[in-house]
Amino acid sequence: MKRVFLGGTANNSTWREQLIPLLKDAGLDYFNPILPDGENWDETAQQKELNERASCDFCLYTITPKFSGVYAVAEAVDDSNKRPEKIIFCVLKNDDDTEFDDDQMKSLESVSLMIERNGGYCCTNLEAIVLYMYQSCDVTIETILEELPFSKFR
């Protein structure tokens, strides 16, 4: 079973909660680095995250307007240089009631192009993430469309 590291925006963004059922439906495993309430980020949690990033089949970085730091973007670019075949970079223009402005989107599109030139995969929706990973498992497009629960792809 292929496994994906779920990096990117935290800050109460719900993209992970939206993506995880899609991953499960597709038979894909994941590592969520977001700690449950009450747990503190410490050296052990940091080391586990580094180990998971290194061992997962895919490293996903989903960036939404709720992001407040740029470290996930830096990680994505760094990983696209070191292990481009594993990198998925997804920019979601909207997150609940927040939206990137045009200048922010232009900058993130430039980052996406940089990652693509390095060999990574970039997209702008959660369904594309799952389709890309599923296709990477040597499954035919017909099987993907039959098995995945994306009504808009049927």
Side-chain angles (χ1 to χ4, degrees), residues 13-149:
S13 177
T14 59
W15 71 265
R16 287 177 180 84
E17 289 77 12
Q18 296 169 40
L19 180 64
I20 288 170
L22 300 176
L23 295 173
K24 288 179 179 178
D25 287 345
L28 299 164
D29 194 16
Y30 62 90
F31 171 73
N32 185 354
I34 303 299
L35 297 175
D37 287 341
E39 288 191 32
N40 293 322
W41 185 256
D42 59 15
E43 192 173 312
T44 302
Q46 184 178 17
Q47 190 58 51
K48 181 164 178 60
E49 179 176 322
L50 291 173
N51 292 341
E52 289 286 344
R53 275 181 55 211
S55 67
C56 280
D57 300 291
F58 301 99
C59 290
L60 167 64
Y61 299 94
T62 300
I63 307 302
T64 81
K66 289 188 176 183
F67 88 121
S68 58
V70 296
Y71 187 69
V73 174
E75 283 180 310
V77 172
D78 185 47
D79 278 350
S80 76
N81 281 300
K82 294 176 179 171
R83 42 186 171 251
E85 70 287 347
K86 293 175 64 165
I87 301 310
I88 303 170
F89 186 71
C90 180
V91 176
L92 301 178
K93 183 172 176 117
N94 301 297
D95 191 348
D96 294 330
D97 59 349
T98 58
E99 184 175 317
F100 284 124
D101 65 34
D102 290 342
D103 289 335
Q104 292 169 318
M105 282 303 297
K106 188 174 181 179
S107 292
L108 289 166
E109 287 166 4
S110 294
V111 171
S112 294
L113 287 172
M114 191 182 315
I115 289 171
E116 284 179 338
R117 279 194 301 267
N118 290 340
Y121 174 74
C122 298
C123 61
T124 58
N125 65 71
L126 299 178
E127 291 83 2
I129 294 166
V130 178
L131 284 171
Y132 175 77
M133 288 188 293
Y134 210 65
Q135 286 174 313
S136 297
C137 298
D138 296 323
V139 179
T140 66
I141 191 68
E142 291 80 14
T143 302
I144 292 168
L145 294 176
E146 287 173 13
E147 293 182 7
L148 290 180

